[in-house]
Amino acid sequence: MSAIPPNPSPERGPASGSRRGPRASGGRTRFWMGSQVALSVVLAAAAVVVINALVARPGLRLRWDLTAKEVNSLDPATERVLRQLPGEVTVDVFFRALPQPLTQLSSQVQARTLALLERMASVSSDRIVVRQNDLNDYVAIQQRLQDLRLRGLENCVVVSKGDQVQVVRERGQLAQFDLGNPNPDAYRPPALRAFEAEKHLLEAILSVTRGERPKVVFTSGHGEADPFETGPETAGVLESALRKDGFVIETWNPLEEDGFPEDAFLVAVVGPRDRMADSTLAQLDRFVEAGGRLLVAPHPDAEPLRASGLIPWMSRYGLEISEGTVMEPYADPTGTGALITGPRSEFLLVHPNHMKRHEIVQPFIDSGRAIAAVRSHAVRVARQPEGGLGLTMPLISSNPRISWLDTAPIDYRHEAELETIRGYDLAAVSEYGPSNESGTEGGTDQHLEKVRSRIVVLGSSAFLYSVMLESQGGQGSSLDFALNAFNWLVDREWRVNVSAKDPDLRLLSAEQIPWVSRWAVWGMPLFCLLLGVGIAYSRGRGGPRRQSA
Amino acid sequence: MRGVITIFRRELASLFWTPMGWMLLVAALFANGFLMWAQLAAGGGNVTAALQASLGRGLLFWMLLITLPPLLAMRLFAEESRTGTLEYLLTAPVSDAAVVVGKFLAATMFMAILWLSVPIYGLIVQGLGTPPDWIALGCAYLGAVLVSGLLVSISLLASSLVRTPLLAAFLAFMACFLWLTLPSMVQMILAPLRELFSHWAGGWEAAERWIQIAVRSMDVPRHFLTSFLPGVLDSAELVFFVTWTSFFLFLTTRSLEARRWRA
């Protein structure tokens, strides 16, 4: 409480002789105090505004998701993409309540989607711009749809960047609804079965931001996995996923075509069985030396691998590929807990603690997901790039406590005298600039960046086979791993996929709901009423705790 | 501090020794219980959605918030001023700030007791075999108490400005209503202005952007619905409620002080 200030003009009291003196003096005092109060109010308001502005800044703001399954947090992989978005993306929301019986559920989904978009905008430092369109404003809606070159849309979210537009629908994409059963005899109310907004919105954002479509050339003619064929040991599923992710796919058969494909950004050598000609390898060397990107995945079997000539070729890049296959015993399916060996030993699940910190696998480490590897050779980093600046490093490894390298012929058994138990690297990456001898004298940093080479060597082409990418175990991890590798190779390391988040549904059965009605609607208010009446009665009888002033 | 506790106990007791407090509580519990049940039935038994509806997602929560604090606060200053007991209180050996904080805590505690019904619903559904996410529910409860505290502080200010309880309740109701519906109001105002200033395209867009940011930062439901209610504790949202509540309590204290030199 502030003290009342002294009268600023005490000499002007009644004794001064002026008849207006006391009133004027009182007025000045009031003015003085009023000004003081007004000033303190303004300063307090300003302080509140400044404090709120400061604590809302990204560096100072702290946020804890306290839900059991962190349903309010974005997947780390999503956050990673949003933080590195190359430009502004507009998200137009066209929501109207769905008709019965989905009205309530739809309203929940729409509220959750808006909250999710708000979080995405915040994480992206406002590079995601969210526009909520009022569907009752017909003229404005038509104008906006015309801008987006769409028509007749509602209950959807439209993600756009320049000419690129993607529509994400509420039913089927943002959420999966169960319509229930309206039959009174077998009534089941409608329910929300899955909320997949994060996954679909991220896919749409990635789709509109993919920019130029880099060309990937798959070598052919040496028994490689064909990207345009369907079948278990082809790269058909990979081709489809790459195309969806914005790549242009071509094949190149050096035995039939003379020239190297123009504007190829990346060459993929996936599982050759036959000898690759020295001239072909020399062309690929020149391509890499000029800043081209290379993905090599040797055939999983020892004989085709030896025949293809990939082992000596990769050794020139400081990478040693084993002829044997890395094995891990697996848990006894009868539940004894024992580790047993057999053909399934060639299926490895690489957990995040056996991954190195690199852009390709970082999303897996962040979100604690494993990568499935199968029939993999060991890929050892024998030496670092010579001459130029760069680094070659392993990417993922097998479990060092139980894995061994099964030497040919493969028998799936660990022979202690020959095969050491330790961790074996299953993939490696190499990134380096041009060597000092390669004629870049006087080159600027920009030039160096332009000709910087990147190579990914996978332990086996089985990593990329359709049978692997289509399988339940591989769908969530192997495909993401493959896409990450391709995206890193073409300098788009921020593009990754995420799986849908568990909606953490907690449901009561239809039979249990009336119990809630009994307790919540009737029981609690009645209890309060009785308590109030009891207290009133007690007071009426002059109870000891009468209200005191 | 002792003064605050004394005033707090006195006001809380007076709330529960009068029929009005119990009537408000019974009516609010009935309505909230009904909403919980209706949401469970309509949402296919989704416990999280039903608890959130009772604690902020439903319209009833906001209707209770703009009616109960004004009704509780109208008697805290305006009624006492009308009956003359406020003068005694202000001459008692407690500071004005202690009087304001004590009354504020009592009214907020009443609201906290009202919202306690939702964790009790949580116990009921847990008894039926579906435990709710307790930590998230606790976070939502904290948010509900903070929002209630903010609106109680606004209502206290209104109550301290006038001597007629009903006028105080009306003023507080209007202030709470206007603040809670501020974003919609601004959108309604901006729509015709947009056409009016269409010739000033770039300048108006920039001005509108700033207005939207300002309004967004003052959007009370958004601060609550996007952080506390879904189970997220956000330091910025916490500071928002604490600072604005403190600001209105400060204004109320100044308003009480002004009574002295106005008299």
Side-chain angles (χ1 to χ4, degrees), chain B residues 102-123:
Chain B
K103 285 174 179 282
F104 161 77
L105 288 178
T108 307
M109 178 57 85
F110 182 89
M111 298 299 292
I113 291 170
L114 170 64
W115 301 133
L116 207 56
S117 59
V118 180
I120 295 175
Y121 300 154
L123 283 175

Side-chain angles (χ1 to χ4, degrees), chain B residues 13 34 51 57 96 116 123 126 135 158 204 212 214 254 259:
Chain B
F34 184 79
L51 290 172
R57 199 73 79 192
D96 289 357
L116 207 56
L123 283 175
Q126 175 147 19
I135 299 179
W204 172 250
Q212 300 277 18
R254 298 304 262 173
R259 280 170 180 265

Side-chain angles (χ1 to χ4, degrees), chain A residues 1-2 4 29-31 33-34 36-37 40-42 44-46 48-49 51-52 55-56 60-69 71-73 88 101 104-105 108 111-112 115 118 121 126 129 137 187 189-192 504-509 512-522 524-529 531-533 535-536 538-539 545-549, chain B residues 9-10 13-14 16-19 22 25-26 29-50 57 75 85 94-97 116-118 120-121 124-125 128-136 139 209 216 222-223 225-227 230-237 239-241 243-244 247 250-251 253-254 257-258 260-263:
Chain A
M1 241 183 312
S2 62
I4 297 174
T29 306
R30 285 185 184 186
F31 177 74
M33 295 177 73
Q36 212 182 23
V37 169
S40 66
V41 168
V42 169
V48 169
V49 170
I51 289 171
N52 277 285
V55 296
L60 295 173
R61 193 169 190 168
L62 300 172
R63 184 179 185 276
W64 298 274
D65 187 350
L66 301 177
T67 52
K69 294 192 175 176
V71 293
N72 299 301
S73 297
E88 200 171 271
Q104 291 267 356
L105 295 175
Q108 284 175 32
R112 282 183 70 175
E118 187 158 351
D126 288 331
V129 179
D137 189 346
Y187 177 73
L192 177 64
D504 191 22
L505 287 178
R506 293 161 193 255
L507 301 174
L508 283 182
S509 67
Q512 290 173 321
I513 293 173
W515 279 97
V516 178
S517 150
R518 274 170 224 161
W519 284 99
V521 184
W522 304 111
M524 285 171 58
L526 197 63
F527 174 75
C528 264
L529 188 64
L531 202 61
V533 169
I535 288 170
S538 160
R539 287 197 68 212
R545 307 239 358 206
R546 290 191 74 132
Q547 182 184 0
S548 57
Chain B
R9 288 176 61 182
R10 169 187 177 269
S14 72
F16 283 102
W17 283 115
T18 55
W22 288 100
L25 203 57
V26 169
L29 283 179
F30 177 77
N32 220 14
F34 184 79
L35 179 68
M36 168 80 186
W37 168 75
Q39 182 64 38
L40 270 178
N46 189 335
V47 169
T48 308
R57 199 73 79 192
R75 46 174 295 286
T85 51
V94 285
S95 65
D96 289 357
L116 207 56
S117 59
V118 180
I120 295 175
Y121 300 154
I124 294 170
V125 294
L128 293 169
T130 310
D133 188 341
W134 280 109
I135 299 179
C139 186
R209 198 179 169 92
R216 198 176 142 89
R222 192 183 69 86
H223 283 288
L225 294 173
T226 59
S227 63
V232 175
L233 193 57
D234 189 321
S235 60
E237 312 298 11
V239 169
F240 171 83
F241 285 111
T243 52
W244 281 108
F247 175 69
F250 170 75
L251 290 189
T253 310
R254 298 304 262 173
E257 285 172 14
R260 291 218 172 93
W261 55 265
R262 271 206 309 249

Side-chain angles (χ1 to χ4, degrees), chain A residues 216-502:
Chain A
V216 179
V217 174
F218 282 74
T219 57
S220 66
H222 312 90
E224 291 97 333
D226 194 326
F228 298 114
E229 289 287 332
T230 54
E233 296 204 348
T234 67
V237 171
L238 176 67
E239 187 272 340
S240 166
L242 287 174
R243 195 159 28 81
K244 195 176 164 194
D245 210 25
F247 290 88
V248 175
I249 313 296
E250 282 184 9
T251 53
W252 171 54
N253 185 345
L255 305 176
E256 294 176 358
E257 301 165 45
D258 290 338
F260 195 79
E262 284 182 15
D263 62 9
F265 204 122
L266 194 169
V267 174
V269 182
V270 182
R273 291 169 168 274
D274 306 326
R275 175 86 191 164
M276 295 186 80
D278 288 343
S279 59
T280 305
L281 296 179
Q283 274 183 303
L284 290 174
D285 285 339
R286 283 197 297 275
F287 171 69
V288 173
E289 193 68 21
R293 311 300 165 90
L294 182 68
L295 181 135
V296 177
H299 195 279
D301 296 335
E303 191 55 41
L305 168 63
R306 203 179 301 129
S308 66
L310 288 188
I311 294 177
W313 183 42
M314 282 296 104
S315 70
R316 301 212 295 260
Y317 291 93
L319 292 163
E320 285 181 3
I321 301 174
S322 73
E323 288 188 4
T325 304
V326 182
M327 302 279 177
E328 278 182 10
Y330 57 98
D332 181 2
T334 60
T336 61
L339 292 175
I340 56 176
T341 56
R344 271 182 56 189
S345 296
E346 61 186 8
F347 185 90
L348 291 78
L349 211 55
V350 181
H351 293 282
N353 51 340
H354 299 136
M355 298 176 190
K356 303 290 184 288
R357 295 212 165 267
H358 187 272
E359 286 94 334
I360 294 176
V361 291
Q362 192 62 41
F364 294 89
I365 296 172
D366 291 343
S367 53
R369 276 178 239 169
I371 295 171
V374 65
R375 298 168 70 192
S376 177
H377 303 285
V379 181
R380 192 175 80 84
V381 178
R383 63 168 197 279
Q384 292 297 323
E386 289 172 2
L389 298 168
L391 177 70
T392 302
M393 62 178 280
L395 206 54
I396 54 175
S397 311
S398 61
N399 188 333
R401 287 183 298 176
I402 53 172
S403 62
W404 77 92
L405 184 65
D406 213 9
T407 48
I410 303 296
D411 57 4
Y412 311 109
R413 280 206 307 261
H414 173 231
E415 294 163 61
E417 318 82 60
L418 298 173
E419 298 156 356
T420 314
I421 297 275
R422 66 176 177 84
Y424 292 89
D425 298 329
L426 307 173
V429 290
S430 184
E431 182 178 15
Y432 54 91
S435 64
N436 291 337
E437 299 86 39
S438 62
T440 58
E441 61 280 0
T444 61
D445 287 349
Q446 192 181 1
H447 179 64
L448 286 174
E449 186 59 34
K450 198 175 171 186
V451 296
R452 203 162 181 79
S453 305
R454 285 182 171 184
I455 299 174
V456 170
V457 179
L458 302 179
S460 151
S461 56
F463 286 24
L464 305 176
Y465 285 164
S466 295
V467 64
M468 182 69 180
L469 302 185
E470 272 176 339
S471 69
Q472 196 63 26
Q475 189 73 320
S477 52
S478 298
L479 185 58
D480 289 348
F481 175 59
L483 287 175
N484 286 1
F486 276 86
N487 276 311
W488 179 77
L489 281 168
V490 298
D491 302 326
R492 301 194 309 182
E493 44 273 71
W494 48 277
R495 294 176 66 90
V496 290
N497 283 323
V498 292
S499 55
K501 204 159 232 172
D502 182 350

Side-chain angles (χ1 to χ4, degrees), chain A residues 50-224:
Chain A
V50 169
I51 289 171
N52 277 285
L54 279 177
V55 296
R57 292 177 70 84
L60 295 173
R61 193 169 190 168
L62 300 172
R63 184 179 185 276
W64 298 274
D65 187 350
L66 301 177
T67 52
K69 294 192 175 176
E70 298 193 345
V71 293
N72 299 301
S73 297
L74 295 177
D75 191 292
T78 309
E79 292 198 0
R80 189 182 164 81
V81 171
L82 295 176
R83 286 204 183 94
Q84 301 179 46
L85 270 184
E88 200 171 271
V89 174
T90 305
V91 179
D92 281 85
V93 180
F94 297 93
F95 279 157
R96 192 196 294 278
L98 285 178
Q100 288 292 4
L102 293 177
T103 311
Q104 291 267 356
L105 295 175
S106 165
S107 141
Q108 284 175 32
V109 167
Q110 292 175 4
R112 282 183 70 175
T113 304
L114 290 174
L116 177 71
L117 285 171
E118 187 158 351
R119 180 85 192 116
M120 285 178 143
S122 166
V123 170
S124 70
S125 302
D126 288 331
R127 276 186 291 247
I128 301 276
V129 179
V130 181
R131 290 178 56 142
Q132 287 199 55
N133 296 280
D134 179 5
L135 289 183
N136 295 319
D137 189 346
Y138 181 78
V139 177
I141 287 294
Q142 292 310 311
Q143 180 62 49
R144 185 61 192 148
L145 287 176
Q146 198 175 337
D147 293 344
L148 293 167
R149 289 175 297 152
L150 298 168
R151 65 172 54 190
L153 277 177
E154 62 179 38
N155 288 325
C156 65
V157 173
V158 178
V159 180
S160 62
K161 182 173 191 296
D163 293 341
Q164 300 288 320
V165 176
Q166 285 285 319
V167 178
V168 184
R169 295 183 186 279
E170 182 182 359
R171 279 182 75 175
Q173 287 185 297
L174 294 178
Q176 306 286 346
F177 294 104
D178 172 7
L179 294 176
N181 186 350
N183 184 347
D185 296 331
Y187 177 73
R188 195 178 77 251
L192 177 64
R193 286 294 164 223
F195 181 73
E196 299 179 331
E198 182 177 345
K199 176 189 172 193
H200 288 284
L201 285 171
L202 183 66
E203 279 178 5
I205 290 167
L206 288 173
S207 177
V208 299
T209 54
R210 63 189 173 202
E212 278 186 34
R213 297 167 68 89
K215 184 190 281 188
V216 179
V217 174
F218 282 74
T219 57
S220 66
H222 312 90
E224 291 97 333

